[in-house]
Structure formats: C-alpha cells, structure tokens
Amino acid sequence: MIFRDRFEAAELLSEKLKDKIDEDSVVIALPRGGVPIASVIAKKFNIPMDIYFVKKIPSPYNPEAAIGAVSEDGIKFVDERAKIMLNVADQYIDEMVEKKKNEMKEKRDIYKKEKIDIKGKTAIIVDDGIATGASMLVAAKSLKEMGAKKVIIAAPVAPPEVVAKLKEVADDVIFVQTPPDFMAVGQFYQDFHQLDDEEVIELLKDAS
C-alpha cells in the first residue's frame, strides 16, 4: 500500500488506534515527520498533543550512519556492536550526546512547545514510519522513565523485523502495514517531502 501523504496515513492509523484511546491519552510526535500524524490523531480523538525529540548519534566516520540515539532528556541507546567494530571512544559518544541535547533544546524553543507532564498518562508515540527502530526505542524508554502508565508505539509502516524489538519496550505496537519488502519509509508515500519548521509550528498550533 502506498499512502498519498502523511495525512492519509494518519487517518488509516487512527482507525487502528480507536480502541486504544482512553481519557488519559496523549499523542506524542517524533519531529518532524511524526507531527502531521499526531496532529490528525489529536484532533480526531480530541486528546492533547506533544512532541518528543530523539536524535541519532552519528558514526564519527559517516554522519549518515547512526551508532545509537539520545532523547532530549539524555536517555541514550548505543549499538555496542557498532561501537566496538568502529572503535568509537566513550568520550566521542559523551560529547555527541551533549551536542545533540543542546540541538534538541534549541528546537523545542523554536517550536515554543511546553512539555506535557505524562506521569500516569497513556503515551502514544507516533512517527511517519519506522526504519531501524532506534529512535522509537529511546523515546519509549524515556517516556516510561518519566512515569507514563502505558506506552503505545504507532506508525503507518515499519519493517517486520523491528516489530519484535519495539514490543520489548512498549505495552502495545500498532502499524497499518509491516511489508517484507521494506527498504525505506519514503517508498510507501507519494508525497514524502521534508517538513520545515514553519509547517511543524503551524501543525502544533492547529492541533492545540
């Protein structure tokens, strides 16, 4: 199945989520691609919307390749196998974690979004698709540590092999499709343009 755009994907995902929403639910987007998804869900079910930042920790040899991820609250995941194979120093990882935390703080300031207290809430974390699952793993662990009573991971598309990994950290995982021929999230969208900050700010305003 190819989605027309993120909004159509969000409508289909909402159908899968309708029995999971309770009075304590908050939908939380991984920016930027998750923001259109969350905005549709927030309006459809009349629940609060937030964003949660997770950044990849890049390899020192290839900025496009990730050796882990870190959340805006400093909770990190490092692929130990990649770290050993590439001989990456702990100091590099610590410096990268601080750098990424600062970048995420700056973004939250730009988006002017106060964090919602999710203690005792059902946190539904959404993105426009999941590839490796590293960002979602870190986000789910972070929200659990922040006191969410339940964490649900939801996305329109993900490869089947990451689903089991995500089930280890979430109370539930919901997808529209988990195709075996998955190569990249963008292959399942007609319109998969990179959102800019203005679009994100507009969607956050609209959902609130």
Side-chain angles (χ1 to χ4, degrees), residues 2 9 41 43 83 87 107 113 138 151 172-173 193 199-200:
I2 305 293
I41 293 165
K43 286 195 284 188
K83 181 188 160 192
N87 195 25
K107 274 291 180 199
K113 185 76 183 75
V138 170
V151 171
D172 207 347
V173 294
H193 73 279
E199 282 179 276
V200 171

PDB file of all heavy atoms in Angstrom, residues 2 9 41 43 83 87 107 113 138 151 172-173 193 199-200:
ATOM      1  N   ILE A   2       0.554   2.184  -0.886  1.00  0.00           N
ATOM      2  CA  ILE A   2       1.274   3.462  -0.935  1.00  0.00           C
ATOM      3  C   ILE A   2       0.326   4.544  -0.417  1.00  0.00           C
ATOM      4  O   ILE A   2      -0.793   4.694  -0.910  1.00  0.00           O
ATOM      5  CB  ILE A   2       1.702   3.816  -2.387  1.00  0.00           C
ATOM      6  CG1 ILE A   2       2.526   2.683  -3.005  1.00  0.00           C
ATOM      7  CG2 ILE A   2       2.485   5.133  -2.404  1.00  0.00           C
ATOM      8  CD1 ILE A   2       3.869   2.425  -2.399  1.00  0.00           C
ATOM      9  N   ALA A   9      -2.108   8.667   5.693  1.00  0.00           N
ATOM     10  CA  ALA A   9      -1.540   7.604   6.536  1.00  0.00           C
ATOM     11  C   ALA A   9      -2.047   7.727   7.972  1.00  0.00           C
ATOM     12  O   ALA A   9      -2.359   6.725   8.625  1.00  0.00           O
ATOM     13  CB  ALA A   9      -0.012   7.678   6.497  1.00  0.00           C
ATOM     14  N   ILE A  41      -4.393  12.634  14.681  1.00  0.00           N
ATOM     15  CA  ILE A  41      -4.872  11.790  15.789  1.00  0.00           C
ATOM     16  C   ILE A  41      -5.395  12.658  16.944  1.00  0.00           C
ATOM     17  O   ILE A  41      -6.448  12.375  17.524  1.00  0.00           O
ATOM     18  CB  ILE A  41      -3.744  10.843  16.262  1.00  0.00           C
ATOM     19  CG1 ILE A  41      -3.433   9.817  15.157  1.00  0.00           C
ATOM     20  CG2 ILE A  41      -4.118  10.132  17.563  1.00  0.00           C
ATOM     21  CD1 ILE A  41      -2.128   9.058  15.340  1.00  0.00           C
ATOM     22  N   LYS A  43      -6.666  15.677  16.844  1.00  0.00           N
ATOM     23  CA  LYS A  43      -7.951  16.307  16.507  1.00  0.00           C
ATOM     24  C   LYS A  43      -9.083  15.276  16.424  1.00  0.00           C
ATOM     25  O   LYS A  43     -10.189  15.526  16.883  1.00  0.00           O
ATOM     26  CB  LYS A  43      -7.829  17.072  15.187  1.00  0.00           C
ATOM     27  CG  LYS A  43      -7.041  18.373  15.332  1.00  0.00           C
ATOM     28  CD  LYS A  43      -7.224  19.300  14.149  1.00  0.00           C
ATOM     29  CE  LYS A  43      -6.415  18.818  12.977  1.00  0.00           C
ATOM     30  NZ  LYS A  43      -6.421  19.788  11.866  1.00  0.00           N
ATOM     31  N   LYS A  83      29.813   0.111  18.004  1.00  0.00           N
ATOM     32  CA  LYS A  83      30.825   0.879  18.748  1.00  0.00           C
ATOM     33  C   LYS A  83      32.172   0.145  18.777  1.00  0.00           C
ATOM     34  O   LYS A  83      33.231   0.737  18.554  1.00  0.00           O
ATOM     35  CB  LYS A  83      30.306   1.115  20.173  1.00  0.00           C
ATOM     36  CG  LYS A  83      31.250   1.917  21.049  1.00  0.00           C
ATOM     37  CD  LYS A  83      30.757   1.946  22.477  1.00  0.00           C
ATOM     38  CE  LYS A  83      31.893   2.295  23.404  1.00  0.00           C
ATOM     39  NZ  LYS A  83      31.588   2.069  24.809  1.00  0.00           N
ATOM     40  N   ASN A  87      35.489   1.018  16.755  1.00  0.00           N
ATOM     41  CA  ASN A  87      36.446   1.518  17.752  1.00  0.00           C
ATOM     42  C   ASN A  87      36.128   2.969  18.152  1.00  0.00           C
ATOM     43  O   ASN A  87      36.974   3.859  18.103  1.00  0.00           O
ATOM     44  CB  ASN A  87      37.888   1.406  17.211  1.00  0.00           C
ATOM     45  CG  ASN A  87      38.910   1.564  18.330  1.00  0.00           C
ATOM     46  OD1 ASN A  87      38.612   1.307  19.500  1.00  0.00           O
ATOM     47  ND2 ASN A  87      40.105   2.013  17.985  1.00  0.00           N
ATOM     48  N   LYS A 107      15.570  23.391  19.358  1.00  0.00           N
ATOM     49  CA  LYS A 107      14.384  23.115  18.527  1.00  0.00           C
ATOM     50  C   LYS A 107      13.102  23.289  19.327  1.00  0.00           C
ATOM     51  O   LYS A 107      12.124  23.855  18.840  1.00  0.00           O
ATOM     52  CB  LYS A 107      14.433  21.683  17.964  1.00  0.00           C
ATOM     53  CG  LYS A 107      15.194  21.550  16.686  1.00  0.00           C
ATOM     54  CD  LYS A 107      14.467  22.239  15.530  1.00  0.00           C
ATOM     55  CE  LYS A 107      15.277  22.069  14.252  1.00  0.00           C
ATOM     56  NZ  LYS A 107      14.905  23.033  13.215  1.00  0.00           N
ATOM     57  N   LYS A 113       7.019  24.917  22.371  1.00  0.00           N
ATOM     58  CA  LYS A 113       6.127  23.859  22.884  1.00  0.00           C
ATOM     59  C   LYS A 113       6.569  23.452  24.281  1.00  0.00           C
ATOM     60  O   LYS A 113       7.636  22.884  24.467  1.00  0.00           O
ATOM     61  CB  LYS A 113       6.167  22.658  21.926  1.00  0.00           C
ATOM     62  CG  LYS A 113       5.190  21.546  22.293  1.00  0.00           C
ATOM     63  CD  LYS A 113       3.770  21.914  21.930  1.00  0.00           C
ATOM     64  CE  LYS A 113       2.766  20.859  22.335  1.00  0.00           C
ATOM     65  NZ  LYS A 113       2.463  20.818  23.769  1.00  0.00           N
ATOM     66  N   VAL A 138      14.384   4.520  22.148  1.00  0.00           N
ATOM     67  CA  VAL A 138      14.835   5.521  23.121  1.00  0.00           C
ATOM     68  C   VAL A 138      13.651   6.345  23.621  1.00  0.00           C
ATOM     69  O   VAL A 138      13.536   6.621  24.817  1.00  0.00           O
ATOM     70  CB  VAL A 138      15.927   6.429  22.499  1.00  0.00           C
ATOM     71  CG1 VAL A 138      16.233   7.611  23.398  1.00  0.00           C
ATOM     72  CG2 VAL A 138      17.198   5.622  22.266  1.00  0.00           C
ATOM     73  N   VAL A 151       2.781   2.867  27.367  1.00  0.00           N
ATOM     74  CA  VAL A 151       3.407   3.434  26.171  1.00  0.00           C
ATOM     75  C   VAL A 151       2.989   2.598  24.966  1.00  0.00           C
ATOM     76  O   VAL A 151       3.169   1.383  24.937  1.00  0.00           O
ATOM     77  CB  VAL A 151       4.943   3.462  26.288  1.00  0.00           C
ATOM     78  CG1 VAL A 151       5.575   3.855  24.956  1.00  0.00           C
ATOM     79  CG2 VAL A 151       5.392   4.442  27.373  1.00  0.00           C
ATOM     80  N   ASP A 172       2.213  -1.754  23.749  1.00  0.00           N
ATOM     81  CA  ASP A 172       1.496  -2.152  22.540  1.00  0.00           C
ATOM     82  C   ASP A 172       2.179  -1.503  21.347  1.00  0.00           C
ATOM     83  O   ASP A 172       2.772  -0.413  21.480  1.00  0.00           O
ATOM     84  CB  ASP A 172       0.037  -1.683  22.623  1.00  0.00           C
ATOM     85  CG  ASP A 172      -0.905  -2.572  21.807  1.00  0.00           C
ATOM     86  OD1 ASP A 172      -0.408  -3.374  20.995  1.00  0.00           O
ATOM     87  OD2 ASP A 172      -2.129  -2.454  21.995  1.00  0.00           O
ATOM     88  N   VAL A 173       2.119  -2.158  20.194  1.00  0.00           N
ATOM     89  CA  VAL A 173       2.630  -1.558  18.957  1.00  0.00           C
ATOM     90  C   VAL A 173       1.558  -1.688  17.882  1.00  0.00           C
ATOM     91  O   VAL A 173       0.942  -2.744  17.739  1.00  0.00           O
ATOM     92  CB  VAL A 173       3.960  -2.202  18.493  1.00  0.00           C
ATOM     93  CG1 VAL A 173       5.078  -1.911  19.462  1.00  0.00           C
ATOM     94  CG2 VAL A 173       3.828  -3.691  18.286  1.00  0.00           C
ATOM     95  N   HIS A 193       7.653  14.796   1.386  1.00  0.00           N
ATOM     96  CA  HIS A 193       8.555  15.955   1.439  1.00  0.00           C
ATOM     97  C   HIS A 193       9.070  16.186   2.863  1.00  0.00           C
ATOM     98  O   HIS A 193       8.412  15.820   3.835  1.00  0.00           O
ATOM     99  CB  HIS A 193       7.861  17.211   0.907  1.00  0.00           C
ATOM    100  CG  HIS A 193       6.834  17.781   1.840  1.00  0.00           C
ATOM    101  ND1 HIS A 193       5.550  17.287   1.938  1.00  0.00           N
ATOM    102  CD2 HIS A 193       6.908  18.807   2.747  1.00  0.00           C
ATOM    103  CE1 HIS A 193       4.872  17.986   2.846  1.00  0.00           C
ATOM    104  NE2 HIS A 193       5.673  18.896   3.353  1.00  0.00           N
ATOM    105  N   GLU A 199       6.060  24.621   8.900  1.00  0.00           N
ATOM    106  CA  GLU A 199       4.965  23.636   8.804  1.00  0.00           C
ATOM    107  C   GLU A 199       4.705  22.977  10.158  1.00  0.00           C
ATOM    108  O   GLU A 199       3.552  22.786  10.562  1.00  0.00           O
ATOM    109  CB  GLU A 199       5.317  22.540   7.788  1.00  0.00           C
ATOM    110  CG  GLU A 199       5.148  22.942   6.337  1.00  0.00           C
ATOM    111  CD  GLU A 199       5.542  21.806   5.401  1.00  0.00           C
ATOM    112  OE1 GLU A 199       6.744  21.669   5.099  1.00  0.00           O
ATOM    113  OE2 GLU A 199       4.645  21.058   4.977  1.00  0.00           O
ATOM    114  N   VAL A 200       5.781  22.634  10.857  1.00  0.00           N
ATOM    115  CA  VAL A 200       5.649  21.989  12.166  1.00  0.00           C
ATOM    116  C   VAL A 200       4.946  22.928  13.149  1.00  0.00           C
ATOM    117  O   VAL A 200       4.010  22.531  13.853  1.00  0.00           O
ATOM    118  CB  VAL A 200       7.034  21.567  12.715  1.00  0.00           C
ATOM    119  CG1 VAL A 200       6.922  21.106  14.163  1.00  0.00           C
ATOM    120  CG2 VAL A 200       7.628  20.449  11.857  1.00  0.00           C
TER     121      VAL A 200
END
